[in-house]
Amino acid sequence: MDFQLLATAQGSAARAGEITTAHGTIQTPVFMPVGTVGSVKAVHRHELTDDIDAQIILGNTYHLYLRPGTELLRKAGGLHGFMGWKRPILTDSGGFQVFSLSANRKLKEEGAWFRSHIDGSKHLFTPENVVDIERIIGADIMMALDECPPGDSDFSYARKSLDLTHRWLKRGWERYRNTEGLYGYSQAYFPIVQGCTYPELRRESVQEICEALEEYRQRIFSNFLVPGTAVLYHNGKINGTIHRLCTSLNLHPILAMSKNKLKLWGIESGNIHRVNRQYVKKLLKHSKQIDSRILFVTYAGCSVRQIDEILAEVEKYMTFERIILQKASATVSCNCGAGTLGLMFIKKPGDKTTSDINWKLW
């Protein structure tokens, strides 16, 4: 998923942006019709796509879990296949529906026990299995499980509810980052700001989520090896002199994302096969500081041979529990061109040296 901020308004917090997902783009702010169990009630498909021109619809995890059920959804290839919808989908976590079943649910640290409104059967939603269910549904945007407290809750209850939501968020996030999509495309995981009607709790929720994301973001290391500079030159990212110099000397830039902008991280020289080997070696030589649970290999228009070469080089220096291949975002693809390939890994918690060492490699 990729988000681009396109415009802001002076004198207010209003802004316009664009979210790019595997199933299309979403212009924000956006009206999102609710398709609770795989259809938007009382609206024909042609009205939804042509008249309303809905860029995204919402599905409900609670209802979809109970009916038609995860087994059928998996066989259909997720909710997109089940309902024949080719545009983006967002699923809520079912937290609000569980809240609405106050007479038939019980909240515990492990999760939310509830009874089905259909047949009275007993079920458990945990932060982990909700991620699993949303993986099966295949939504482009997955919401984290939260407790939705009553609007008239006193401060003490709202405080405990918020703390529970944040603990659930950490567990759900761990499950999300240790699993992957089932249908060949990536899914985003969104937290929910809680705190009932108390402004101070709402602000605290925002702050805690942002701090957790920032701490995690600083542990993510990612850059891209660009096969040539022609696309960078034609897009105005570099001037003609630099382009000609890189071409004549067979130089290959390595770019990194910094504050939503591509910046030069390093340069390698030689034929692309040698460059691939050197790129992996320099990134993974400090393997003791890298979390071995997951590695992302991001690519744009790469050949199977190039990807296989990278994977073979990775195996020489480090063994990862999972290696996920994913297509590069629109920003990287459009600015860097076909043949661009990058590695993304996570630094171990508490490590403050990996970033410095990697940046000084060049």
Side-chain angles (χ1 to χ4, degrees), residues 25-35 40-41 43 47-48 51-58 85 87-88:
T25 59
I26 307 161
Q27 302 290 329
T28 65
V30 65
F31 170 72
M32 181 164 51
V34 177
V40 180
K41 294 181 178 179
V43 179
E47 295 172 325
L48 194 62
D51 300 335
I52 300 174
D53 192 22
Q55 300 172 51
I56 182 173
I57 62 172
L58 181 146
W85 179 255
R87 298 180 184 181

Side-chain angles (χ1 to χ4, degrees), residues 240-261:
T241 301
I242 294 177
H243 170 52
R244 289 188 292 272
L245 179 65
C246 290
T247 301
S248 61
L249 296 179
N250 204 12
L251 300 179
H252 305 268
I254 298 174
L255 305 179
M257 291 295 295
S258 177
K259 297 180 179 179
N260 293 323
K261 292 183 178 180

Side-chain angles (χ1 to χ4, degrees), residues 1-4 18-21 25-26 257 260 329-332:
M1 174 173 290
D2 183 53
F3 174 74
Q4 296 289 327
E18 183 177 84
I19 300 173
T20 302
T21 75
T25 59
I26 307 161
M257 291 295 295
N260 293 323
S329 68
T331 300
V332 173

Side-chain angles (χ1 to χ4, degrees), residues 261-276:
K261 292 183 178 180
L262 287 169
K263 294 186 177 181
L264 182 64
W265 189 84
I267 296 175
E268 276 293 346
S269 63
N271 66 66
I272 193 63
H273 304 296
R274 176 188 179 279
V275 167
N276 283 342

Side-chain angles (χ1 to χ4, degrees), residues 31-327:
F31 170 72
M32 181 164 51
V34 177
T36 302
V37 289
S39 65
V40 180
K41 294 181 178 179
V43 179
H44 294 106
R45 176 57 58 83
H46 70 86
E47 295 172 325
L48 194 62
T49 56
D50 301 333
D51 300 335
I52 300 174
D53 192 22
Q55 300 172 51
I56 182 173
I57 62 172
L58 181 146
N60 183 265
T61 297
Y62 167 84
H63 288 285
L64 292 168
Y65 163 76
L66 292 176
R67 189 171 53 193
T70 54
E71 182 178 353
L72 184 57
L73 286 170
R74 185 192 289 269
K75 290 180 179 178
L79 185 57
H80 285 94
F82 179 77
M83 62 181 296
W85 179 255
K86 297 181 180 181
R87 298 180 184 181
I89 294 176
L90 177 148
T91 45
D92 66 12
S93 66
F96 178 80
Q97 283 67 36
V98 171
F99 154 73
S100 67
L101 299 170
S102 56
N104 295 306
R105 55 92 168 162
K106 190 171 185 179
L107 298 178
K108 294 185 176 182
E109 188 66 34
E110 63 179 324
W113 286 96
F114 63 92
R115 291 193 177 277
S116 166
H117 71 285
I118 300 173
D119 59 9
S121 57
K122 193 174 182 180
H123 303 268
L124 172 65
F125 269 1
T126 70
E128 294 84 2
N129 71 14
V130 164
V131 169
D132 297 339
I133 295 168
E134 291 186 281
R135 288 292 197 195
I136 294 172
I137 293 172
D140 298 272
I141 301 174
M142 305 158 49
M143 304 304 297
L145 180 65
D146 64 322
E147 182 194 355
C148 184
D152 58 356
S153 300
D154 60 32
F155 187 87
S156 176
Y157 184 88
R159 162 88 273 166
K160 293 178 181 178
S161 172
L162 178 60
D163 291 342
L164 179 64
T165 290
H166 287 166
R167 292 194 298 272
W168 281 0
L169 175 60
K170 292 177 181 177
R171 288 167 52 192
W173 170 248
E174 284 299 310
R175 184 58 151 245
Y176 166 77
R177 75 183 192 90
N178 285 297
T179 58
E180 56 186 288
L182 303 178
Y183 310 113
Y185 56 86
S186 63
Q187 298 170 269
Y189 186 68
F190 280 24
I192 297 176
V193 174
Q194 278 295 359
C196 197
T197 59
Y198 300 97
E200 58 268 48
L201 293 183
R202 288 279 178 175
R203 288 191 294 268
E204 179 183 329
S205 183
V206 171
Q207 182 177 355
E208 180 158 338
I209 290 171
C210 290
E211 288 177 352
L213 290 174
E214 178 62 21
E215 188 276 333
Y216 195 79
R217 186 190 67 81
Q218 292 179 0
R219 290 171 51 203
I220 297 175
F221 188 82
S222 174
N223 58 30
F224 302 89
L225 173 64
V226 183
T229 56
V231 177
L232 293 170
Y233 168 62
H234 287 296
N235 285 335
K237 301 300 181 182
I238 60 175
N239 60 40
T241 301
I242 294 177
H243 170 52
R244 289 188 292 272
L245 179 65
C246 290
T247 301
S248 61
L249 296 179
N250 204 12
L251 300 179
H252 305 268
I254 298 174
L255 305 179
M257 291 295 295
S258 177
K259 297 180 179 179
N260 293 323
K261 292 183 178 180
L262 287 169
K263 294 186 177 181
L264 182 64
W265 189 84
I267 296 175
E268 276 293 346
S269 63
N271 66 66
I272 193 63
H273 304 296
R274 176 188 179 279
V275 167
N276 283 342
R277 293 193 296 270
Q278 289 297 109
Y279 172 66
V280 174
K281 178 180 179 180
K282 290 180 177 179
L283 281 182
L284 301 184
K285 65 185 295 186
H286 300 283
S287 59
K288 291 183 179 179
Q289 300 161 353
I290 299 173
D291 190 328
S292 64
R293 286 180 291 182
I294 190 168
L295 172 72
F296 292 91
V297 179
T298 306
Y299 62 93
C302 292
S303 66
V304 174
R305 178 183 177 184
Q306 186 179 359
I307 295 175
D308 287 343
E309 284 182 351
I310 289 289
L311 295 177
E313 288 299 313
V314 167
E315 291 180 358
K316 293 180 181 179
Y317 301 98
M318 191 168 180
T319 300
F320 287 90
E321 294 178 19
R322 290 192 303 132
I323 297 179
I324 296 178
L325 303 178
Q326 62 180 16
K327 294 182 179 180

